[in-house]
Amino acid sequence: MARSALFPPGFVWGTATSSYQIEGGHDAGGKGPSIWDAFCTIPGKVNEHADGTIACDHFHRWREDVDLMKKMGLTAYRFSLSWPRILPTGYGKINRSGIQFYSDLIDALLEAEIDPWITLYHWDLPLALQLEKDGWLNPDMASIFADYAEICFEEFGNRVKNWITINEPWVVAMLGYGQGIFAPGRISNAEPYLAGHQLIRAHAFAVERYRKKFQYVQKGRIGITNNCDWREPLNDTAADRAAAQRALEFFLGWFADPVYKGAYPDSMRSRVGERLPYFSDHEIDIIKGSSDFFGLNHYTTMYAAEAGNKLQDSSVYGNGGLSEDQEVNLSLDKEWKLTEMKWAIVPCGCKKLLEWIDARYDHPEIFITENGAAFDDKVLDGHCHDDDRVDFYEKYLQAINAAMENRVKVKGYFAWSFMDNFEWASGYSKRFGMHYVDFNTLKRIPKSSAKWYADVIAHNGLK
Ligand code: PNW
């Protein structure tokens, strides 16, 4: 049943997007190609052979988009910078027209009283770095990334006070270097741990750069965003409780433990062994404590059970890949409703995950930097009544509010997404937006959820 849920004053209400998913303008104004531009050309990788060449054409329609955000009353907007738009080959000469694009967008957001939250890396690596360096497998990437980050702090940091280094290193490592279903399309049971390691180092190097050269004057905050589902023990047994805990450690602990505790989880070290690299003492010094806030993207929940010798096949939505290493079997409850992504809607999983993070990482300030759902939206007489999505958001916000009543420090919430966009390997077939985008005309139509969310923001919560 609907319960009211008010949020504290100053709570951050935003929506989120990412560069490759919305911008288009794939070669406009001197932009270089990214690994997603290349990956999309491989037959069979993306649904209906779609790509981000045009996407939502936000590169040309951003003024209209900022107006729509203003109508919603957003207090914040999270978006990412396209690294190859700023540095066409990943390093070296700056592409001034790329800087100008983001600079104008930032100014328009501030003018609309919307706080920009910038993600420096949301998966669109400059293709040149993949070809020259083998991308995230190369230890040199940490300083190359920090050099790129420094350009962004230098150009935008006078106006931008919220920075996210890397979006979802788990997805980059697992889906990009393990399952091969996201760019760069590598398939391996060892490379995910190597790529993950370099992503953590890159994050820490960029944060070190910000803290040393910018933070004391620009006075912003910087952190990393990780994604994690909740894992509920299938049976109330010691073995399944341990399996669920282990699954969370392999999912979120992999990236959050180094940042908050200075080391990978023991459960990973003992199972992955030498395939999991080590940090040097100096690296631990800069990695530990390298996030000013806990960025969390959360979408769904699965049951976890001890696999024993009955390990199921690994699959992305089954065992999150590399199930051999975790020795966990995942499954769904027949009662759970599914979104178009086949992700189960389980609001209490969100509350439990927030409480798990609060306890494990010593009560960090948490920003939910993504939460949302894909549904089969239709436009009728010019309107899109996405009641399922409104229901989803209402229940998840209630669950978050309940965690906050238990003193979990959630400070902000970003709905994924501001508008329908290029949903990676699913192409344009999955709609997550609060605005409907007609991909033939590129017209945006506010869905019921956009109006509902505007109301939530105006009341600072659910009535
Ligand atoms: C996140 N998984 O991606 C991303 O940050 C967004 O770019 C994306 O559009 C959104 O969630 C919805 O998918 C994920 O397989 C992609 O577990 C895949 C997974 C998780 C997150």
Side-chain angles (χ1 to χ4, degrees), residues 28-31 59 81-82 84-87 94-104 156:
K31 176 184 168 291
F59 184 71
L81 307 181
S82 162
R85 197 181 287 292
I86 291 174
L87 292 165
I94 298 175
N95 178 35
R96 291 309 314 177
S97 99
I99 298 281
Q100 196 60 48
F101 168 65
Y102 292 116
S103 187
D104 292 346
F156 311 126

Side-chain angles (χ1 to χ4, degrees), residues 21 122-123 167-168 299 317 343 370 416 423-424 432:
Q21 294 180 273
H122 199 126
W123 312 350
N167 180 66
E168 303 188 347
Y299 287 93
Y317 300 116
W343 294 348
E370 286 179 26
W416 183 272
E423 179 50 35
W424 308 113
F432 273 90

Side-chain angles (χ1 to χ4, degrees), residues 134-154:
D134 281 340
W136 292 111
L137 298 177
N138 193 323
D140 293 345
M141 284 297 292
S143 55
I144 294 172
F145 178 69
D147 290 346
Y148 153 64
E150 179 164 345
I151 293 167
C152 302
F153 304 144
E154 185 91 50

